[in-house]
Coordinates of all heavy atoms in Angstrom, one line a residue:
A81 N -18.6 37.1 -2.2 CA -17.5 37.8 -2.7 C -17.7 38.8 -3.9 O -16.9 39.6 -4.2 CB -16.4 36.9 -3.0
M82 N -18.9 38.7 -4.4 CA -19.2 39.3 -5.7 C -19.2 40.9 -5.5 O -19.8 41.4 -4.6 CB -20.6 38.9 -6.2 CG -20.9 39.3 -7.7 SD -19.9 38.3 -8.8 CE -20.6 36.6 -8.5
G83 N -18.6 41.6 -6.5 CA -18.7 43.0 -6.6 C -17.9 43.8 -5.7 O -18.1 45.0 -5.6
H84 N -16.9 43.2 -5.1 CA -16.0 43.9 -4.2 C -14.6 43.2 -4.3 O -14.4 42.2 -5.0 CB -16.5 44.0 -2.7 CG -16.7 42.7 -2.1 ND1 -15.7 42.0 -1.5 CD2 -17.8 42.0 -1.9 CE1 -16.1 40.9 -0.9 NE2 -17.4 40.9 -1.2
P85 N -13.5 43.8 -3.7 CA -12.2 43.2 -3.8 C -12.1 41.7 -3.5 O -11.2 41.0 -4.0 CB -11.4 44.0 -2.9 CG -12.0 45.4 -2.9 CD -13.5 45.0 -2.9
G86 N -13.0 41.2 -2.7 CA -12.9 39.8 -2.4 C -13.1 38.8 -3.6 O -12.5 37.7 -3.5
M87 N -13.7 39.3 -4.6 CA -13.9 38.4 -5.8 C -12.5 38.2 -6.5 O -12.4 37.3 -7.2 CB -14.9 39.1 -6.8 CG -15.1 38.3 -8.1 SD -15.4 36.6 -7.9 CE -17.0 36.5 -7.3
R88 N -11.6 39.1 -6.2 CA -10.2 38.9 -6.8 C -9.6 37.5 -6.3 O -8.7 37.0 -7.0 CB -9.3 40.0 -6.5 CG -9.8 41.4 -7.0 CD -8.7 42.4 -6.9 NE -9.2 43.8 -7.0 CZ -9.6 44.4 -8.2 NH1 -9.5 43.6 -9.3 NH2 -10.1 45.6 -8.2
Y89 N -10.1 37.1 -5.2 CA -9.4 35.9 -4.6 C -10.2 34.6 -5.0 O -9.7 33.5 -4.7 CB -9.5 36.0 -3.0 CG -8.5 37.0 -2.5 CD1 -8.8 38.3 -2.5 CD2 -7.2 36.6 -2.1 CE1 -7.8 39.2 -2.0 CE2 -6.3 37.5 -1.7 CZ -6.6 38.8 -1.6 OH -5.6 39.7 -1.1
S90 N -11.3 34.7 -5.7 CA -12.1 33.5 -6.0 C -11.3 32.5 -6.9 O -11.1 31.4 -6.5 CB -13.4 33.9 -6.6 OG -14.1 32.8 -7.0
L91 N -11.0 32.9 -8.1 CA -10.3 32.1 -9.0 C -8.9 31.7 -8.5 O -8.6 30.5 -8.5 CB -10.2 32.7 -10.4 CG -9.5 31.9 -11.4 CD1 -10.2 30.5 -11.7 CD2 -9.3 32.6 -12.8
P92 N -8.1 32.6 -7.9 CA -6.8 32.2 -7.3 C -7.0 31.1 -6.2 O -6.0 30.4 -5.9 CB -6.3 33.5 -6.8 CG -6.8 34.5 -7.7 CD -8.2 34.1 -7.9
S93 N -8.2 31.1 -5.5 CA -8.3 30.1 -4.5 C -8.3 28.7 -5.0 O -8.0 27.7 -4.3 CB -9.6 30.4 -3.7 OG -10.8 29.9 -4.4
R94 N -8.6 28.5 -6.3 CA -8.6 27.2 -6.9 C -7.2 26.6 -6.8 O -7.0 25.4 -6.5 CB -9.0 27.4 -8.4 CG -9.1 26.1 -9.2 CD -9.3 26.4 -10.7 NE -8.1 26.9 -11.3 CZ -8.1 27.2 -12.6 NH1 -9.2 27.1 -13.4 NH2 -7.0 27.6 -13.2
E95 N -6.1 27.4 -7.0 CA -4.8 26.9 -7.0 C -4.4 26.7 -5.6 O -3.6 25.7 -5.3 CB -3.8 28.0 -7.6 CG -4.3 28.6 -8.9 CD -4.8 27.5 -9.9 OE1 -4.1 26.5 -10.1 OE2 -5.8 27.8 -10.6
L96 N -4.8 27.5 -4.6 CA -4.5 27.2 -3.2 C -5.1 25.9 -2.7 O -4.5 25.1 -2.0 CB -5.0 28.3 -2.3 CG -4.4 29.7 -2.4 CD1 -5.2 30.7 -1.6 CD2 -2.9 29.6 -2.0
I97 N -6.3 25.6 -3.2 CA -7.0 24.3 -2.8 C -6.2 23.1 -3.4 O -5.9 22.2 -2.7 CB -8.4 24.3 -3.3 CG1 -9.2 25.3 -2.5 CG2 -9.0 22.9 -3.3 CD1 -10.6 25.6 -3.2
A98 N -5.8 23.2 -4.7 CA -5.1 22.1 -5.4 C -3.7 21.9 -4.6 O -3.3 20.8 -4.4 CB -4.8 22.5 -6.8
D99 N -3.1 23.0 -4.4 CA -1.7 22.9 -3.7 C -1.9 22.3 -2.3 O -1.0 21.5 -1.8 CB -1.0 24.2 -3.7 CG -0.6 24.7 -5.0 OD1 -0.6 23.9 -6.0 OD2 -0.2 25.9 -5.1
S100 N -2.9 22.7 -1.6 CA -3.1 22.2 -0.2 C -3.4 20.7 -0.2 O -2.9 20.0 0.7 CB -4.3 22.9 0.4 OG -4.1 24.3 0.6
V101 N -4.2 20.3 -1.1 CA -4.5 18.8 -1.2 C -3.2 18.0 -1.5 O -2.9 17.0 -1.0 CB -5.6 18.5 -2.2 CG1 -5.8 17.0 -2.4 CG2 -6.9 19.2 -1.8
E102 N -2.5 18.5 -2.5 CA -1.2 17.8 -2.9 C -0.3 17.8 -1.7 O 0.3 16.7 -1.4 CB -0.6 18.7 -4.0 CG 0.8 18.2 -4.4 CD 1.5 19.1 -5.3 OE1 0.9 20.0 -5.9 OE2 2.8 19.0 -5.4
T103 N -0.2 18.8 -0.9 CA 0.7 18.9 0.3 C 0.2 17.8 1.3 O 1.0 17.0 1.8 CB 0.6 20.3 0.9 OG1 1.1 21.2 -0.1 CG2 1.5 20.3 2.1
M104 N -1.1 17.8 1.6 CA -1.6 16.9 2.6 C -1.5 15.4 2.2 O -1.1 14.6 2.9 CB -3.0 17.2 3.0 CG -3.2 18.5 3.7 SD -2.5 18.5 5.4 CE -3.7 17.4 6.3
A105 N -1.8 15.2 0.9 CA -1.8 13.8 0.4 C -0.4 13.2 0.4 O -0.2 12.0 0.8 CB -2.5 13.8 -1.0
I106 N 0.5 13.9 -0.1 CA 1.9 13.4 -0.2 C 2.6 13.3 1.2 O 3.3 12.4 1.5 CB 2.7 14.2 -1.2 CG1 2.2 14.1 -2.6 CG2 4.2 13.8 -1.2 CD1 2.8 14.8 -3.7
A107 N 2.4 14.4 2.0 CA 3.0 14.4 3.3 C 2.5 13.3 4.2 O 3.3 12.8 5.0 CB 2.7 15.7 4.0
H108 N 1.3 12.7 4.0 CA 0.7 11.7 4.9 C 0.5 10.4 4.2 O 0.0 9.5 4.8 CB -0.5 12.3 5.5 CG -0.3 13.5 6.3 ND1 -0.7 14.8 5.8 CD2 0.3 13.8 7.4 CE1 -0.4 15.7 6.7 NE2 0.3 15.1 7.7
G109 N 0.9 10.2 3.0 CA 1.0 8.9 2.4 C -0.4 8.3 2.1 O -0.5 7.0 2.3
F110 N -1.4 9.0 1.9 CA -2.7 8.4 1.7 C -2.7 7.4 0.5 O -2.1 7.6 -0.5 CB -3.8 9.4 1.5 CG -4.1 10.3 2.7 CD1 -3.9 11.6 2.6 CD2 -4.6 9.7 3.8 CE1 -4.1 12.4 3.8 CE2 -4.9 10.5 4.9 CZ -4.7 11.8 4.9
D111 N -3.5 6.3 0.7 CA -3.7 5.3 -0.3 C -4.8 5.8 -1.3 O -4.7 5.4 -2.5 CB -4.1 4.0 0.3 CG -3.1 3.4 1.2 OD1 -2.0 3.0 0.6 OD2 -3.3 3.3 2.4
G112 N -5.7 6.5 -0.9 CA -6.8 7.0 -1.8 C -7.4 8.3 -1.2 O -7.2 8.6 0.0
L113 N -8.2 8.9 -2.0 CA -8.8 10.2 -1.6 C -10.3 10.2 -1.9 O -10.6 9.8 -3.0 CB -8.1 11.4 -2.2 CG -6.6 11.6 -1.9 CD1 -6.0 12.7 -2.9 CD2 -6.4 12.0 -0.4
V114 N -11.1 10.6 -1.1 CA -12.5 10.9 -1.3 C -12.7 12.4 -1.2 O -12.4 13.0 -0.1 CB -13.5 10.2 -0.5 CG1 -14.9 10.5 -0.9 CG2 -13.3 8.7 -0.5
F115 N -13.1 13.1 -2.2 CA -13.2 14.5 -2.2 C -14.7 14.9 -2.0 O -15.6 14.4 -2.6 CB -12.8 15.1 -3.6 CG -11.4 15.0 -3.8 CD1 -10.8 13.9 -4.4 CD2 -10.4 16.0 -3.5 CE1 -9.5 13.7 -4.7 CE2 -9.1 15.9 -3.7 CZ -8.6 14.8 -4.4
V116 N -14.9 15.9 -1.0 CA -16.2 16.3 -0.7 C -16.3 17.9 -0.9 O -16.1 18.6 0.0 CB -16.6 16.0 0.8 CG1 -18.0 16.4 1.1 CG2 -16.4 14.5 1.1
P117 N -16.5 18.3 -2.1 CA -16.6 19.7 -2.4 C -18.0 20.2 -2.6 O -19.0 19.4 -2.6 CB -15.9 19.8 -3.8 CG -16.3 18.5 -4.5 CD -16.5 17.5 -3.4
N118 N -18.2 21.4 -2.9 CA -19.4 22.1 -3.4 C -18.9 23.5 -3.9 O -17.9 24.0 -3.3 CB -20.5 22.2 -2.4 CG -21.8 21.6 -2.9 OD1 -21.8 20.9 -3.9 ND2 -22.9 21.8 -2.3
C119 N -19.6 24.0 -4.8 CA -19.3 25.4 -5.2 C -18.2 25.6 -6.1 O -17.4 24.7 -6.4 CB -19.2 26.3 -3.9 SG -20.7 26.3 -2.9
D120 N -18.0 26.9 -6.5 CA -17.4 27.2 -7.8 C -15.9 26.8 -8.0 O -15.6 26.1 -8.9 CB -17.5 28.7 -8.0 CG -18.9 29.1 -8.1 OD1 -19.7 28.7 -7.3 OD2 -19.2 30.0 -9.0
K121 N -15.0 27.2 -7.2 CA -13.6 27.0 -7.4 C -13.2 25.7 -6.6 O -12.1 25.3 -6.8 CB -12.8 28.2 -6.9 CG -13.2 29.5 -7.6 CD -13.3 29.3 -9.1 CE -14.2 30.4 -9.7 NZ -15.5 30.5 -9.2
I122 N -14.0 25.3 -5.7 CA -13.6 24.2 -4.8 C -13.6 22.9 -5.6 O -12.6 22.1 -5.6 CB -14.5 24.0 -3.6 CG1 -14.4 25.3 -2.7 CG2 -14.2 22.8 -2.8 CD1 -15.2 26.4 -3.1
V123 N -14.6 22.7 -6.4 CA -14.7 21.5 -7.3 C -13.5 21.4 -8.2 O -12.7 20.4 -8.2 CB -16.0 21.3 -8.0 CG1 -16.0 20.1 -8.9 CG2 -17.2 21.4 -7.1
P124 N -13.2 22.4 -9.1 CA -12.1 22.3 -9.9 C -10.8 22.3 -9.2 O -9.8 21.6 -9.7 CB -12.2 23.5 -10.9 CG -13.1 24.5 -10.1 CD -14.0 23.6 -9.3

Side-chain angles (χ1 to χ4, degrees):
M82 195 72 65
H84 60 82
M87 178 48 73
R88 300 191 197 283
Y89 286 86
S90 174
L91 181 59
S93 75
R94 185 186 74 180
E95 316 311 318
L96 291 175
I97 291 165
D99 290 350
S100 296
V101 174
E102 176 188 343
T103 300
M104 290 293 288
I106 293 179
H108 301 106
F110 289 118
D111 295 295
L113 298 169
V114 182
F115 292 88
V116 185
N118 232 14
C119 301
D120 300 42
K121 306 310 159 305
I122 296 84
V123 180

